[in-house]
Coordinates of all heavy atoms in Angstrom, one line a residue:
M1 N 0.8 -1.2 0.0 CA 0.0 0.0 0.0 C 0.9 1.2 0.0 O 1.9 1.3 0.7 CB -0.9 0.0 1.2 CG -1.8 1.2 1.3 SD -2.8 1.3 -0.2 CE -4.4 1.5 0.4
I2 N 0.5 2.2 -0.8 CA 1.3 3.4 -0.9 C 0.6 4.5 0.0 O -0.6 4.7 -0.1 CB 1.3 4.0 -2.3 CG1 1.9 2.9 -3.3 CG2 2.1 5.3 -2.4 CD1 3.3 2.5 -2.9
S3 N 1.4 5.1 0.9 CA 0.8 6.0 1.8 C 0.8 7.4 1.3 O 1.4 7.7 0.3 CB 1.6 5.9 3.1 OG 2.9 6.4 2.9
A4 N 0.1 8.3 2.0 CA 0.0 9.7 1.7 C 1.3 10.4 2.0 O 2.1 9.8 2.8 CB -1.1 10.3 2.4
G5 N 1.5 11.6 1.5 CA 2.7 12.3 1.8 C 2.4 13.8 1.8 O 1.3 14.2 1.5
R6 N 3.4 14.6 2.2 CA 3.2 16.1 2.3 C 4.4 16.7 1.8 O 5.5 16.2 2.0 CB 2.9 16.5 3.7 CG 1.6 16.0 4.3 CD 1.4 16.4 5.7 NE 1.1 17.8 5.9 CZ -0.1 18.4 5.8 NH1 -1.1 17.6 5.6 NH2 -0.2 19.6 5.9
T7 N 4.3 17.9 1.2 CA 5.4 18.8 1.0 C 5.0 20.1 1.7 O 4.0 20.1 2.4 CB 5.6 19.1 -0.5 OG1 4.5 19.9 -1.0 CG2 5.7 17.8 -1.3
A8 N 5.8 21.1 1.6 CA 5.5 22.4 2.2 C 4.1 23.0 1.8 O 3.4 23.6 2.5 CB 6.6 23.4 2.0
R9 N 3.8 22.7 0.5 CA 2.6 23.3 0.0 C 1.5 22.3 -0.5 O 0.4 22.7 -0.7 CB 2.9 24.2 -1.2 CG 3.7 25.4 -0.8 CD 3.9 26.4 -1.9 NE 4.8 25.7 -2.9 CZ 5.2 26.2 -4.0 NH1 4.7 27.3 -4.4 NH2 6.0 25.6 -4.8
L10 N 1.9 21.0 -0.6 CA 0.9 20.1 -1.2 C 0.7 18.8 -0.3 O 1.6 18.4 0.4 CB 1.5 19.6 -2.5 CG 1.6 20.6 -3.6 CD1 2.3 19.9 -4.8 CD2 0.3 21.2 -4.0
A11 N -0.5 18.3 -0.3 CA -0.8 17.0 0.2 C -0.9 16.0 -1.0 O -1.4 16.3 -2.0 CB -2.1 17.0 0.9
I12 N -0.2 14.9 -0.8 CA -0.2 13.9 -1.8 C -0.9 12.7 -1.2 O -0.4 12.1 -0.3 CB 1.2 13.5 -2.3 CG1 1.9 14.8 -2.7 CG2 1.2 12.5 -3.3 CD1 3.5 14.7 -2.8
T13 N -2.0 12.3 -1.8 CA -2.9 11.2 -1.3 C -3.3 10.2 -2.3 O -3.4 10.6 -3.5 CB -4.1 11.8 -0.5 OG1 -4.8 10.8 0.1 CG2 -5.0 12.5 -1.5
P14 N -3.5 9.0 -2.0 CA -3.9 8.0 -3.0 C -5.2 8.4 -3.7 O -6.1 8.9 -3.1 CB -4.1 6.7 -2.2 CG -3.2 6.9 -1.1 CD -3.2 8.3 -0.7
L15 N -5.2 8.3 -5.0 CA -6.4 8.6 -5.8 C -7.5 7.7 -5.5 O -7.3 6.5 -5.4 CB -6.0 8.6 -7.3 CG -7.1 8.9 -8.3 CD1 -7.4 10.4 -8.2 CD2 -6.7 8.5 -9.7
R16 N -8.7 8.2 -5.3 CA -9.9 7.5 -5.1 C -11.0 7.9 -6.1 O -11.0 9.0 -6.5 CB -10.4 7.7 -3.6 CG -9.4 7.3 -2.6 CD -9.3 5.8 -2.4 NE -8.3 5.4 -1.4 CZ -7.2 4.8 -1.7 NH1 -6.9 4.4 -2.9 NH2 -6.4 4.4 -0.7
A17 N -12.0 7.0 -6.3 CA -13.1 7.4 -7.2 C -13.8 8.6 -6.6 O -14.3 9.4 -7.4 CB -14.0 6.2 -7.3
A18 N -13.8 8.8 -5.3 CA -14.5 9.9 -4.7 C -13.9 11.3 -5.1 O -14.5 12.3 -4.9 CB -14.5 9.8 -3.2
H19 N -12.7 11.3 -5.6 CA -12.0 12.5 -6.1 C -12.5 13.0 -7.4 O -12.2 14.1 -7.9 CB -10.5 12.3 -6.2 CG -9.8 12.2 -4.9 ND1 -9.1 11.0 -4.6 CD2 -9.7 13.0 -3.9 CE1 -8.5 11.2 -3.4 NE2 -8.9 12.4 -2.9
A20 N -13.3 12.2 -8.1 CA -13.8 12.5 -9.5 C -14.5 13.9 -9.6 O -14.1 14.7 -10.4 CB -14.6 11.5 -10.1
P21 N -15.5 14.2 -8.7 CA -16.1 15.5 -8.8 C -15.2 16.7 -8.6 O -15.3 17.7 -9.2 CB -17.2 15.5 -7.7 CG -17.4 14.0 -7.5 CD -16.1 13.4 -7.7
L22 N -14.2 16.5 -7.7 CA -13.2 17.5 -7.4 C -12.3 17.8 -8.6 O -11.9 18.9 -8.9 CB -12.4 17.1 -6.1 CG -11.4 18.1 -5.6 CD1 -12.0 19.4 -5.1 CD2 -10.6 17.5 -4.5
L23 N -11.9 16.7 -9.2 CA -10.9 16.8 -10.3 C -11.4 17.0 -11.7 O -10.7 17.4 -12.6 CB -10.0 15.6 -10.3 CG -9.0 15.5 -9.1 CD1 -8.4 14.1 -9.0 CD2 -7.9 16.5 -9.3
F24 N -12.7 16.7 -11.9 CA -13.3 16.8 -13.2 C -13.1 18.1 -13.9 O -12.7 18.2 -15.1 CB -14.8 16.5 -13.2 CG -15.4 16.5 -14.6 CD1 -15.2 15.5 -15.5 CD2 -16.2 17.6 -15.0 CE1 -15.7 15.5 -16.7 CE2 -16.7 17.6 -16.2 CZ -16.5 16.6 -17.1
P25 N -13.3 19.3 -13.2 CA -13.0 20.6 -13.9 C -11.6 20.7 -14.5 O -11.4 21.2 -15.6 CB -13.3 21.6 -12.9 CG -14.3 21.0 -11.9 CD -13.8 19.5 -11.9
L26 N -10.6 20.2 -13.7 CA -9.2 20.2 -14.2 C -9.0 19.3 -15.3 O -8.3 19.6 -16.3 CB -8.3 19.9 -13.0 CG -8.1 20.9 -11.9 CD1 -7.2 20.3 -10.9 CD2 -7.5 22.2 -12.4
L27 N -9.5 18.1 -15.2 CA -9.2 17.0 -16.2 C -10.1 17.0 -17.4 O -9.9 16.2 -18.3 CB -9.2 15.7 -15.5 CG -8.2 15.5 -14.3 CD1 -8.4 14.1 -13.7 CD2 -6.8 15.7 -14.8
A28 N -11.0 17.9 -17.4 CA -11.9 18.0 -18.6 C -11.3 18.8 -19.8 O -11.8 18.7 -20.9 CB -13.3 18.7 -18.2
D29 N -10.2 19.5 -19.5 CA -9.6 20.3 -20.6 C -8.8 19.4 -21.5 O -7.8 18.8 -21.2 CB -8.6 21.3 -19.9 CG -8.0 22.3 -20.9 OD1 -8.0 22.0 -22.1 OD2 -7.5 23.3 -20.4
P30 N -9.3 19.3 -22.8 CA -8.6 18.4 -23.7 C -7.2 18.8 -24.1 O -6.4 17.9 -24.5 CB -9.5 18.5 -25.0 CG -10.2 19.8 -24.9 CD -10.4 20.1 -23.4
R31 N -6.7 20.0 -23.8 CA -5.3 20.4 -24.0 C -4.4 19.5 -23.2 O -3.2 19.3 -23.6 CB -5.1 21.8 -23.8 CG -5.9 22.7 -24.7 CD -5.7 24.2 -24.4 NE -6.4 24.4 -23.1 CZ -6.4 25.6 -22.4 NH1 -5.8 26.6 -23.0 NH2 -7.0 25.7 -21.3
Q32 N -4.8 19.0 -22.1 CA -4.0 18.2 -21.2 C -3.6 16.9 -21.8 O -2.7 16.2 -21.4 CB -4.6 18.0 -19.9 CG -4.8 19.3 -19.1 CD -5.2 19.0 -17.7 OE1 -4.4 18.5 -16.9 NE2 -6.5 19.2 -17.4
Y33 N -4.3 16.4 -22.8 CA -4.2 15.1 -23.4 C -3.4 15.1 -24.7 O -3.4 14.1 -25.5 CB -5.6 14.5 -23.5 CG -6.3 14.4 -22.2 CD1 -7.1 15.5 -21.8 CD2 -6.1 13.3 -21.4 CE1 -7.7 15.4 -20.5 CE2 -6.7 13.3 -20.1 CZ -7.5 14.3 -19.7 OH -8.1 14.3 -18.5
Q34 N -2.8 16.2 -25.1 CA -2.1 16.4 -26.3 C -1.0 15.4 -26.5 O -0.8 14.9 -27.6 CB -1.6 17.8 -26.5 CG -1.0 18.1 -27.8 CD -0.6 19.6 -28.0 OE1 -0.8 20.4 -27.1 NE2 -0.1 19.9 -29.1
Y35 N -0.3 15.0 -25.4 CA 0.9 14.1 -25.5 C 0.7 12.8 -24.8 O 1.7 12.1 -24.6 CB 2.1 14.9 -25.0 CG 2.3 16.2 -25.7 CD1 2.1 17.4 -25.1 CD2 2.8 16.2 -27.0 CE1 2.3 18.6 -25.8 CE2 3.1 17.4 -27.7 CZ 2.8 18.6 -27.1 OH 3.0 19.7 -27.8
V36 N -0.5 12.5 -24.4 CA -0.7 11.2 -23.8 C -1.8 10.4 -24.5 O -2.7 11.0 -25.1 CB -1.1 11.3 -22.3 CG1 0.0 12.0 -21.5 CG2 -2.4 12.2 -22.1
P37 N -1.8 9.1 -24.5 CA -2.7 8.3 -25.2 C -4.1 8.1 -24.5 O -4.6 7.0 -24.3 CB -2.0 7.0 -25.4 CG -1.2 6.8 -24.2 CD -0.7 8.3 -23.9
E38 N -4.6 9.2 -24.1 CA -5.9 9.2 -23.4 C -6.7 10.4 -23.9 O -6.1 11.3 -24.4 CB -5.8 9.3 -21.9 CG -5.5 8.0 -21.2 CD -5.6 8.1 -19.7 OE1 -6.6 8.6 -19.2 OE2 -4.7 7.7 -19.0
A39 N -8.0 10.4 -23.6 CA -8.8 11.6 -23.9 C -9.5 12.0 -22.6 O -9.7 11.2 -21.7 CB -9.8 11.3 -24.9
A40 N -10.0 13.3 -22.5 CA -10.7 13.8 -21.4 C -12.0 13.0 -21.3 O -12.6 12.6 -22.3 CB -11.0 15.2 -21.5
R41 N -12.4 12.7 -20.1 CA -13.7 12.0 -19.8 C -14.8 13.0 -20.0 O -14.7 14.2 -19.7 CB -13.8 11.4 -18.4 CG -12.7 10.4 -18.1 CD -12.7 9.2 -19.1 NE -11.9 8.1 -18.7 CZ -10.7 7.8 -19.2 NH1 -10.3 8.5 -20.2 NH2 -10.1 6.7 -18.8
A42 N -15.9 12.6 -20.6 CA -17.0 13.5 -21.0 C -17.9 13.9 -19.8 O -18.6 14.9 -19.9 CB -17.9 12.8 -22.0
S43 N -17.8 13.2 -18.7 CA -18.7 13.5 -17.5 C -18.0 13.1 -16.2 O -17.0 12.3 -16.2 CB -20.0 12.7 -17.7 OG -19.8 11.3 -17.5
V44 N -18.5 13.6 -15.1 CA -18.0 13.2 -13.8 C -18.2 11.7 -13.6 O -17.3 11.0 -13.1 CB -18.7 14.0 -12.7 CG1 -18.3 13.5 -11.3 CG2 -18.4 15.5 -12.8
T45 N -19.3 11.2 -14.1 CA -19.6 9.7 -14.0 C -18.5 8.9 -14.7 O -18.0 7.9 -14.1 CB -21.0 9.4 -14.5 OG1 -21.9 10.1 -13.8 CG2 -21.3 7.9 -14.4
E46 N -18.1 9.3 -15.9 CA -17.1 8.6 -16.6 C -15.7 8.7 -15.9 O -15.0 7.7 -15.8 CB -16.9 9.1 -18.1 CG -18.0 8.7 -19.0 CD -17.8 9.2 -20.4 OE1 -16.6 9.5 -20.8 OE2 -18.8 9.2 -21.2
L47 N -15.4 9.8 -15.4 CA -14.2 10.0 -14.6 C -14.2 9.2 -13.3 O -13.3 8.5 -13.0 CB -13.9 11.5 -14.3 CG -12.6 11.8 -13.7 CD1 -11.4 11.4 -14.6 CD2 -12.5 13.3 -13.3
W48 N -15.4 9.1 -12.7 CA -15.5 8.3 -11.5 C -15.3 6.9 -11.8 O -14.6 6.2 -11.1 CB -16.9 8.5 -10.9 CG -17.1 7.8 -9.5 CD1 -16.9 8.4 -8.3 CD2 -17.4 6.5 -9.3 NE1 -17.1 7.4 -7.3 CE2 -17.4 6.2 -7.9 CE3 -17.7 5.4 -10.1 CZ2 -17.7 5.0 -7.3 CZ3 -18.0 4.1 -9.6 CH2 -18.0 4.0 -8.2
Q49 N -15.8 6.4 -12.9 CA -15.6 5.0 -13.3 C -14.2 4.7 -13.6 O -13.7 3.6 -13.2 CB -16.5 4.7 -14.6 CG -18.0 4.7 -14.3 CD -18.8 4.6 -15.5 OE1 -18.4 5.0 -16.6 NE2 -20.1 4.2 -15.4
R50 N -13.5 5.6 -14.2 CA -12.0 5.4 -14.5 C -11.2 5.4 -13.2 O -10.4 4.5 -13.0 CB -11.5 6.6 -15.4 CG -10.0 6.5 -15.6 CD -9.6 5.2 -16.3 NE -8.2 5.2 -16.6 CZ -7.4 4.2 -16.6 NH1 -7.9 3.0 -16.4 NH2 -6.1 4.3 -16.8
F51 N -11.5 6.3 -12.3 CA -10.8 6.4 -11.0 C -11.1 5.1 -10.2 O -10.3 4.6 -9.5 CB -11.2 7.6 -10.2 CG -10.6 8.9 -10.7 CD1 -9.7 8.9 -11.8 CD2 -10.8 10.1 -10.1 CE1 -9.1 10.1 -12.2 CE2 -10.3 11.3 -10.5 CZ -9.4 11.3 -11.6
D52 N -12.4 4.6 -10.3 CA -12.7 3.4 -9.6 C -11.9 2.2 -10.1 O -11.4 1.4 -9.3 CB -14.2 3.1 -9.7 CG -14.7 1.9 -9.0 OD1 -14.5 1.9 -7.7 OD2 -15.2 0.9 -9.6
E53 N -11.7 2.2 -11.4 CA -10.8 1.1 -12.0 C -9.4 1.3 -11.5 O -8.8 0.3 -11.1 CB -10.9 1.3 -13.5 CG -10.0 0.3 -14.3 CD -10.0 0.6 -15.8 OE1 -10.8 1.3 -16.3 OE2 -9.1 0.0 -16.4
L54 N -8.9 2.5 -11.5 CA -7.5 2.7 -11.0 C -7.4 2.4 -9.5 O -6.4 1.8 -9.1 CB -7.1 4.1 -11.2 CG -7.0 4.5 -12.7 CD1 -6.7 6.0 -12.8 CD2 -5.9 3.8 -13.4
E55 N -8.4 2.7 -8.7 CA -8.4 2.4 -7.3 C -8.4 0.9 -7.0 O -7.7 0.5 -6.1 CB -9.6 3.1 -6.6 CG -9.7 3.0 -5.1 CD -10.9 3.7 -4.5 OE1 -11.5 4.5 -5.2 OE2 -11.1 3.4 -3.3
R56 N -9.1 0.2 -7.8 CA -9.1 -1.3 -7.6 C -7.8 -2.0 -8.0 O -7.5 -3.0 -7.5 CB -10.3 -1.9 -8.4 CG -11.6 -1.6 -7.7 CD -12.8 -2.3 -8.4 NE -13.2 -1.5 -9.5 CZ -13.3 -1.9 -10.8 NH1 -12.9 -3.2 -11.1 NH2 -13.6 -1.1 -11.8
G57 N -7.1 -1.4 -9.0 CA -5.8 -1.9 -9.4 C -6.0 -2.9 -10.5 O -7.1 -3.2 -11.0
P58 N -4.9 -3.5 -10.9 CA -4.9 -4.5 -12.0 C -5.7 -5.7 -11.7 O -5.9 -6.1 -10.5 CB -3.5 -4.8 -12.3 CG -2.7 -4.4 -11.1 CD -3.5 -3.3 -10.4
A59 N -6.2 -6.4 -12.7 CA -6.9 -7.6 -12.5 C -6.1 -8.7 -11.9 O -4.8 -8.7 -12.0 CB -7.4 -8.1 -13.9
P60 N -6.7 -9.6 -11.2 CA -5.9 -10.7 -10.6 C -5.0 -11.4 -11.7 O -5.5 -11.6 -12.8 CB -6.9 -11.7 -10.1 CG -8.1 -10.8 -9.8 CD -8.1 -9.7 -10.9
G61 N -3.8 -11.7 -11.4 CA -2.9 -12.3 -12.3 C -2.1 -11.4 -13.2 O -1.2 -11.8 -13.8
V62 N -2.5 -10.1 -13.2 CA -1.7 -9.1 -13.9 C -0.6 -8.6 -13.0 O -0.8 -8.2 -11.9 CB -2.6 -7.9 -14.4 CG1 -1.7 -6.8 -15.0 CG2 -3.7 -8.4 -15.3
D63 N 0.6 -8.8 -13.5 CA 1.8 -8.5 -12.7 C 2.3 -7.1 -12.8 O 3.3 -6.8 -13.4 CB 2.9 -9.5 -13.0 CG 4.1 -9.5 -12.0 OD1 3.9 -9.0 -10.9 OD2 5.1 -10.0 -12.3
E64 N 1.5 -6.1 -12.3 CA 1.8 -4.7 -12.4 C 1.4 -4.1 -11.0 O 0.5 -4.6 -10.3 CB 1.0 -4.0 -13.5 CG 1.3 -4.4 -14.9 CD 0.5 -3.6 -15.9 OE1 -0.6 -3.1 -15.5 OE2 0.9 -3.6 -17.1
L65 N 2.0 -3.0 -10.7 CA 1.6 -2.2 -9.6 C 1.2 -0.8 -10.1 O 1.9 -0.2 -10.8 CB 2.8 -2.0 -8.6 CG 2.6 -1.2 -7.4 CD1 1.5 -1.7 -6.5 CD2 3.9 -1.0 -6.7
W66 N -0.1 -0.5 -9.8 CA -0.6 0.8 -10.3 C -0.5 1.8 -9.1 O -1.0 1.6 -8.0 CB -2.0 0.7 -10.7 CG -2.3 -0.1 -11.9 CD1 -1.3 -0.8 -12.7 CD2 -3.5 -0.4 -12.5 NE1 -1.9 -1.4 -13.7 CE2 -3.3 -1.2 -13.6 CE3 -4.8 -0.1 -12.2 CZ2 -4.3 -1.7 -14.4 CZ3 -5.9 -0.5 -13.0 CH2 -5.6 -1.3 -14.1
L67 N 0.2 2.9 -9.4 CA 0.4 4.0 -8.4 C -0.3 5.2 -8.9 O 0.1 5.8 -9.9 CB 1.9 4.2 -8.2 CG 2.7 3.0 -7.8 CD1 4.2 3.3 -7.8 CD2 2.3 2.4 -6.5
N68 N -1.3 5.7 -8.2 CA -2.1 6.9 -8.6 C -2.3 7.8 -7.4 O -2.8 7.3 -6.4 CB -3.4 6.4 -9.2 CG -3.2 5.6 -10.4 OD1 -2.9 6.1 -11.5 ND2 -3.2 4.3 -10.3
W69 N -2.0 9.0 -7.5 CA -2.2 10.0 -6.4 C -2.9 11.2 -6.9 O -2.8 11.6 -8.1 CB -0.8 10.4 -5.8 CG 0.0 9.3 -5.2 CD1 -0.2 8.8 -4.0 CD2 1.1 8.6 -5.8 NE1 0.8 7.8 -3.8 CE2 1.5 7.7 -4.9 CE3 1.7 8.7 -7.1 CZ2 2.6 6.8 -5.2 CZ3 2.7 7.9 -7.4 CH2 3.2 7.0 -6.4
V70 N -3.5 12.0 -6.0 CA -4.0 13.3 -6.3 C -3.2 14.3 -5.4 O -2.8 14.0 -4.3 CB -5.5 13.4 -6.0 CG1 -5.8 13.1 -4.5 CG2 -6.1 14.7 -6.4
L71 N -2.9 15.4 -6.0 CA -2.2 16.5 -5.3 C -3.2 17.6 -5.0 O -3.9 18.1 -5.8 CB -1.1 17.1 -6.3 CG -0.1 16.2 -6.8 CD1 0.7 16.8 -7.9 CD2 0.8 15.7 -5.7
L72 N -3.2 18.0 -3.7 CA -4.1 19.0 -3.2 C -3.3 20.1 -2.5 O -2.3 19.8 -1.7 CB -5.1 18.4 -2.2 CG -5.9 17.3 -2.7 CD1 -6.7 16.6 -1.5 CD2 -6.9 17.8 -3.7
R73 N -3.6 21.4 -2.7 CA -3.0 22.4 -2.0 C -3.4 22.5 -0.5 O -4.5 22.3 -0.2 CB -3.3 23.8 -2.6 CG -2.7 23.9 -4.0 CD -2.8 25.3 -4.6 NE -3.9 26.1 -4.1 CZ -4.4 27.0 -4.9 NH1 -4.1 27.2 -6.1 NH2 -5.4 27.8 -4.4
H74 N -2.4 22.7 0.4 CA -2.7 22.8 1.8 C -3.6 24.0 2.1 O -4.5 23.9 3.0 CB -1.4 23.0 2.6 CG -0.6 21.7 2.7 ND1 -1.1 20.5 3.2 CD2 0.7 21.5 2.4 CE1 -0.2 19.6 3.2 NE2 0.9 20.2 2.7
D75 N -3.3 25.2 1.5 CA -4.0 26.4 1.9 C -5.5 26.4 1.7 O -6.2 26.9 2.5 CB -3.3 27.6 1.2 CG -3.4 27.6 -0.3 OD1 -3.8 26.6 -0.9 OD2 -2.9 28.6 -0.9
D76 N -6.0 25.8 0.6 CA -7.4 25.8 0.4 C -8.0 24.5 -0.1 O -9.2 24.4 -0.4 CB -7.7 26.9 -0.7 CG -7.1 26.6 -2.0 OD1 -6.4 25.6 -2.2 OD2 -7.2 27.5 -2.9
G77 N -7.2 23.4 -0.1 CA -7.6 22.1 -0.5 C -7.9 21.9 -2.0 O -8.4 20.9 -2.4
A78 N -7.6 23.0 -2.8 CA -7.8 22.9 -4.2 C -6.9 21.8 -4.9 O -5.8 21.7 -4.5 CB -7.6 24.3 -4.9
P79 N -7.5 21.1 -5.8 CA -6.7 20.1 -6.5 C -5.7 20.8 -7.5 O -6.0 21.8 -8.1 CB -7.7 19.3 -7.3 CG -8.9 20.3 -7.5 CD -8.9 21.2 -6.3
V80 N -4.5 20.2 -7.6 CA -3.5 20.6 -8.5 C -3.5 19.7 -9.7 O -3.2 20.1 -10.8 CB -2.1 20.7 -7.8 CG1 -1.0 21.1 -8.8 CG2 -2.2 21.7 -6.7
G81 N -3.7 18.4 -9.5 CA -3.6 17.4 -10.5 C -3.4 16.0 -10.0 O -3.6 15.8 -8.8
T82 N -2.9 15.1 -10.8 CA -2.7 13.8 -10.5 C -1.3 13.3 -10.9 O -0.7 14.0 -11.7 CB -3.7 12.8 -11.1 OG1 -3.6 12.9 -12.5 CG2 -5.1 13.1 -10.7
L83 N -0.8 12.3 -10.2 CA 0.4 11.6 -10.6 C 0.1 10.2 -10.8 O -0.7 9.6 -10.1 CB 1.4 11.7 -9.4 CG 1.9 13.1 -9.0 CD1 2.7 13.0 -7.7 CD2 2.7 13.7 -10.1
Q84 N 0.7 9.6 -11.8 CA 0.5 8.2 -12.1 C 1.8 7.5 -12.5 O 2.6 8.1 -13.2 CB -0.5 8.0 -13.3 CG -1.8 8.6 -13.1 CD -2.7 8.5 -14.3 OE1 -2.4 7.8 -15.3 NE2 -3.9 9.0 -14.2
A85 N 1.9 6.2 -12.1 CA 3.0 5.4 -12.5 C 2.5 4.0 -12.5 O 1.7 3.6 -11.7 CB 4.2 5.5 -11.6
T86 N 3.0 3.2 -13.5 CA 2.7 1.7 -13.5 C 4.1 1.0 -13.5 O 5.0 1.3 -14.3 CB 2.0 1.4 -14.8 OG1 0.7 2.1 -14.8 CG2 1.7 -0.1 -14.8
V87 N 4.2 0.2 -12.5 CA 5.5 -0.6 -12.4 C 5.2 -2.0 -12.9 O 4.2 -2.7 -12.5 CB 6.0 -0.7 -10.9 CG1 7.3 -1.4 -10.8 CG2 6.1 0.8 -10.3
T88 N 6.0 -2.5 -13.8 CA 5.9 -3.8 -14.5 C 7.0 -4.7 -14.0 O 7.9 -4.3 -13.4 CB 5.8 -3.6 -16.0 OG1 7.1 -3.0 -16.4 CG2 4.7 -2.7 -16.4
P89 N 6.9 -6.0 -14.4 CA 7.9 -6.9 -14.0 C 9.3 -6.4 -14.5 O 9.5 -5.8 -15.5 CB 7.5 -8.2 -14.8 CG 6.1 -8.1 -14.9 CD 5.8 -6.6 -15.1
G90 N 10.3 -6.7 -13.6 CA 11.6 -6.3 -13.9 C 11.9 -4.8 -13.4 O 12.8 -4.2 -13.7
D91 N 10.9 -4.4 -12.6 CA 11.0 -3.0 -12.0 C 11.1 -1.9 -13.1 O 11.7 -0.9 -12.9 CB 12.1 -2.9 -11.0 CG 11.9 -3.7 -9.8 OD1 10.7 -3.9 -9.4 OD2 12.8 -4.2 -9.2
H92 N 10.4 -2.1 -14.2 CA 10.3 -1.1 -15.2 C 9.0 -0.2 -14.9 O 8.0 -0.8 -14.4 CB 10.1 -1.7 -16.6 CG 11.3 -2.4 -17.0 ND1 11.4 -3.8 -17.0 CD2 12.5 -2.0 -17.5 CE1 12.6 -4.1 -17.4 NE2 13.3 -3.1 -17.7
A93 N 9.1 1.0 -15.1 CA 8.0 1.9 -14.8 C 7.7 2.8 -16.0 O 8.6 3.2 -16.7 CB 8.2 2.7 -13.6
W94 N 6.4 3.2 -16.1 CA 6.0 4.2 -17.1 C 4.9 5.0 -16.5 O 4.3 4.7 -15.5 CB 5.6 3.6 -18.4 CG 4.6 2.6 -18.4 CD1 4.7 1.3 -18.2 CD2 3.2 2.8 -18.7 NE1 3.5 0.6 -18.3 CE2 2.5 1.6 -18.6 CE3 2.4 3.9 -19.0 CZ2 1.2 1.4 -18.8 CZ3 1.1 3.8 -19.2 CH2 0.5 2.5 -19.1

């Protein structure tokens, strides 16, 4: 299990499906997907479904570790964005 963390200005916490309404306004901007093989989700419900999938992790038998976090500002709790990494066999990550 990956625990939460803190910096001087940010809280770093595991991503949960419940974060979808908070993050939807940030992640709805299609310009963020220019260089990644994903597209913005069309609704909070679609984003919630995606976050639920990420929260559950890979299917049984899939040898990967999914690491997903949300960044929140300490001063007002506003979301800054997300961090993601997938660790595969041989300790390769992307």
Side-chain angles (χ1 to χ4, degrees):
M1 181 55 131
I2 304 301
S3 63
R6 295 178 70 89
T7 70
R9 293 183 293 173
L10 298 173
I12 305 165
T13 187
L15 181 71
R16 302 286 179 242
H19 288 120
L22 182 66
L23 288 165
F24 182 74
L26 289 176
L27 299 179
D29 185 342
R31 294 176 295 179
Q32 295 188 76
Y33 302 90
Q34 185 173 0
Y35 302 106
V36 295
E38 276 190 55
R41 301 301 190 256
S43 68
V44 173
T45 300
E46 285 184 20
L47 187 60
W48 187 94
Q49 290 169 339
R50 175 62 177 148
F51 285 0
D52 183 57
E53 177 185 347
L54 293 173
E55 185 177 345
R56 285 184 279 124
V62 174
D63 195 14
E64 294 179 343
L65 177 61
W66 292 0
L67 307 172
N68 299 281
W69 298 277
V70 60
L71 302 169
L72 303 167
R73 292 192 332 211
H74 287 305
D75 59 355
D76 61 4
V80 174
T82 62
L83 299 171
Q84 299 179 4
T86 300
V87 181
T88 60
D91 293 327
H92 295 104
W94 56 277

